[in-house]
Amino acid sequence: MKQKFGSSWEKFLQRRYAVRLGRRYALAAASVVLMGVIGCTQVEGNTKVYAQSSVPRSESLAQKSVLPDTKLILANTKFGFKLFEEVLKQENNKNVFISPASVAIALDMTYNGANGSTQRAMAKALELQGLSLQEINSSNAALKQLLENSDPEIQLNIANSLWANQEVKFNADFIKKNQDFYQAKVTNLNFQDPNSVSKINNWVSESTRGRINKIIERIEPDQVLFLLNAIYFKGKWTNEFDKQQTVQQPFYLTSGTQKQHPMMSQKGKYKYYENEQFQAASLPYGKDGKFSFYVFLPKKNSNLKSFYENLNAENWEKWISQFSLREGLIRLPRFKMDYEITLNTALEALGIGEAFTNQADFSQMGQNFQISEVKHKTFVEVNEEGTEAAATTSVGVTAVSATVNQQPFQMIVDRPFFCAIRDNQTGSILFMGAILDP
């Protein structure tokens, strides 16, 4: 049974996050989310061209927040695991790789336009209850600044943009908030011009270093706005795998069959945790290990389905807090994948259904708008050198337990596993996935 947060547990987590925020961190991945907003009726009037905000960075509202509110990071973690659960229902027995951070940012941008029952439903689904709009926006601005402040061996870029139909009028305050807090590039386009599609996709490709080249196929007649987020991450392992140690070995699929696959091997000291259900290890990136790749491998008497039954924000924090340094051997499959999903069904299951109907209230954005679709694309490659990830739309300092009398562990990741890329300073989960077949 999944456990829900109690107020005392939330306060405990918030204190843990506050400690983490005093450190820096790094990560490698990329993600892209697409929001299509449609008008229920034609909106009259011409819109002036919205240039990027003329407010200097030093004077921008985003600069008022120095550190992100720990409540926002906690909200994002809860939302991320809820979203992952719903995506798994759609993608039965398939590889899954999403960026909950990317989806949350894109929806937070859209949230600035919501009002009434639509706003309340989005707040509940995104776990934003108890946070004011000002707190949400300021914390997102501070988190972006903090995440992008990485070491030379880590590339992390978060980009946002709005693409508006030039024939439709949007509330100036909605546009300005997305410019000030999310540093969103705002562009007015002629949606009748076929070249508008390529202009949007070119931005996606540039923002993800060419790893994701396309997020939209066409612009439907009733679509008036696209809100996009892109995250790109590339990081080298703190200790790279020796390519000469990579050999073809069996990987056991869910069906019970096996395939030969390149398996990377390495010995050393790792932050490691084990219980009756699974083994887990943290592989750091960069010189300081500010970001890490977490691998959770169900034991042979268990499986990913049983693991998912206990996968929630509360248990995640309990597990992470119990990692300790251990000598051991890790054998990890090399893998590379592209992933794509439309998130409408998952988001409706989380309670945002109204936003996709003509009952939607986005009056803070303009008149008579609803969401048409939320698309998500990701790319990830894990090899001997490190990790590269991208998407269009993831702590604390654990006590190092004594290792006296502990035997070196062996973690042979030769069967389906769960993985995540996490910022070890704030606890933000940038990517998470289930690899059933590398």
Side-chain angles (χ1 to χ4, degrees):
M1 292 290 290
K2 293 193 173 183
Q3 302 179 36
K4 296 186 177 180
F5 278 90
S7 59
S8 60
W9 179 255
E10 290 187 354
K11 290 178 181 177
F12 167 73
L13 291 184
Q14 289 167 15
R15 288 196 297 270
R16 290 180 61 84
Y17 282 128
V19 172
R20 292 171 185 151
L21 286 172
R23 307 181 186 87
R24 299 174 58 194
Y25 53 91
L27 161 70
S31 97
V32 182
V33 169
L34 167 69
M35 301 290 304
V37 182
I38 66 175
C40 302
T41 60
Q42 184 176 358
V43 181
E44 297 181 355
N46 294 322
T47 305
K48 60 185 177 182
V49 176
Y50 294 109
Q52 284 188 278
S53 177
S54 58
V55 180
R57 279 192 69 126
S58 60
E59 298 176 16
S60 170
L61 294 174
Q63 301 304 307
K64 290 185 177 180
S65 178
V66 178
L67 292 175
D69 193 317
T70 56
K71 289 184 289 187
L72 178 75
I73 298 166
L74 182 59
N76 289 346
T77 302
K78 289 169 144 182
F79 167 70
F81 284 118
K82 289 196 309 181
L83 179 67
F84 187 70
E85 179 183 8
E86 294 300 330
V87 168
L88 288 174
K89 293 176 183 178
Q90 287 182 241
E91 305 286 88
N92 191 31
N93 293 323
K94 294 180 182 178
N95 288 339
V96 169
F97 194 76
I98 66 171
S99 171
S102 179
V103 179
I105 293 170
L107 290 174
D108 287 352
M109 291 167 63
T110 310
Y111 183 75
N112 276 273
N115 204 0
S117 58
T118 300
Q119 184 188 53
R120 291 191 293 272
M122 291 185 72
K124 184 176 180 181
L126 294 167
E127 299 288 346
L128 297 175
Q129 294 163 308
L131 282 165
S132 69
L133 188 58
Q134 172 69 29
E135 290 172 325
I136 294 166
N137 289 336
S138 296
S139 293
N140 269 310
L143 187 59
K144 179 181 187 298
Q145 188 178 20
L146 192 61
L147 285 168
E148 291 181 325
N149 186 20
S150 57
D151 69 31
E153 295 189 9
I154 302 291
Q155 296 180 48
L156 177 60
N157 182 61
I158 302 170
N160 300 306
S161 63
L162 274 68
W163 305 83
N165 185 335
Q166 65 186 18
E167 300 299 322
V168 178
K169 183 175 178 59
F170 298 94
N171 286 351
D173 184 60
F174 166 74
I175 299 294
K176 191 173 190 307
K177 284 177 180 175
N178 278 297
Q179 288 177 318
D180 286 345
F181 292 103
Y182 298 87
Q183 296 171 22
K185 173 186 176 182
V186 181
T187 305
N188 270 8
L189 292 176
N190 175 5
F191 275 23
Q192 304 299 316
D193 183 355
N195 291 325
S196 292
V197 172
S198 62
K199 288 179 181 178
I200 297 173
N201 287 331
N202 285 342
W203 179 88
V204 169
S205 181
E206 290 174 5
S207 300
T208 60
R209 308 298 192 270
R211 289 307 185 180
I212 299 174
N213 293 317
K214 183 187 294 184
I215 191 66
I216 61 173
E217 299 289 340
R218 68 186 72 83
I219 298 176
E220 301 296 342
D222 54 359
Q223 288 181 314
V224 299
L225 177 70
F226 294 103
L227 301 97
L228 277 73
N229 165 268
I231 300 177
Y232 177 82
F233 170 86
K234 186 175 184 180
K236 292 184 177 181
W237 302 121
T238 302
N239 298 301
E240 294 185 18
F241 287 83
D242 183 353
K243 290 183 179 180
Q244 294 183 345
Q245 299 296 317
T246 299
V247 295
Q248 294 282 337
Q249 291 186 317
F251 186 94
Y252 299 90
L253 306 176
T254 306
S255 62
T257 59
Q258 69 179 56
K259 59 178 280 189
Q260 292 297 114
H261 191 82
M263 300 287 283
M264 310 181 296
S265 294
Q266 190 181 89
K267 291 182 179 180
K269 281 189 175 183
Y270 307 91
K271 288 187 176 180
Y272 177 81
Y273 172 63
E274 179 179 353
N275 61 22
E276 294 180 355
Q277 189 184 20
F278 62 78
Q279 292 177 278
S282 168
L283 281 70
Y285 300 104
K287 293 181 180 179
D288 301 322
K290 300 163 187 172
F291 289 89
S292 292
F293 184 80
Y294 286 80
V295 183
F296 286 74
L297 176 69
K299 292 190 174 178
K300 291 184 178 180
N301 61 354
S302 186
N303 53 48
L304 274 180
K305 185 176 180 181
S306 297
F307 173 74
Y308 294 148
E309 291 175 359
N310 296 307
L311 182 62
N312 55 47
E314 181 178 354
N315 283 336
W316 173 262
E317 283 301 318
K318 288 181 179 178
W319 297 336
I320 293 298
S321 70
Q322 295 180 71
F323 276 64
S324 62
L325 278 179
R326 285 273 301 273
E327 290 276 358
L329 175 145
I330 290 180
R331 188 173 295 157
L332 182 69
R334 196 168 62 196
F335 66 94
K336 178 179 179 180
M337 64 176 282
D338 295 283
Y339 181 73
E340 178 178 2
I341 187 172
T342 298
L343 292 172
N344 292 31
T345 300
L347 293 172
E348 287 170 2
L350 294 180
I352 313 182
E354 180 182 293
F356 294 91
T357 72
N358 58 14
Q359 302 299 312
D361 183 353
F362 284 103
S363 55
Q364 299 300 312
M365 183 187 299
Q367 294 184 11
N368 302 321
F369 297 139
Q370 69 184 71
I371 297 175
S372 61
E373 63 180 352
V374 179
K375 293 178 68 176
H376 190 56
K377 279 190 175 184
T378 61
F379 163 86
V380 62
E381 180 175 8
V382 173
N383 57 30
E384 290 85 351
E385 295 177 355
T387 303
E388 184 177 16
T392 297
T393 30
S394 242
V395 331
V397 177
T398 59
V400 180
S401 303
T403 57
V404 179
N405 298 326
Q406 287 187 320
Q407 294 297 316
F409 69 87
Q410 280 200 340
M411 187 169 172
I412 312 299
V413 187
D414 60 356
R415 51 193 183 275
F417 61 94
F418 173 83
C419 61
I421 298 175
R422 177 178 181 266
D423 164 41
N424 293 323
Q425 177 186 8
T426 65
S428 295
I429 302 172
L430 299 183
F431 294 87
M432 63 175 67
I435 309 302
L436 281 66
D437 183 353

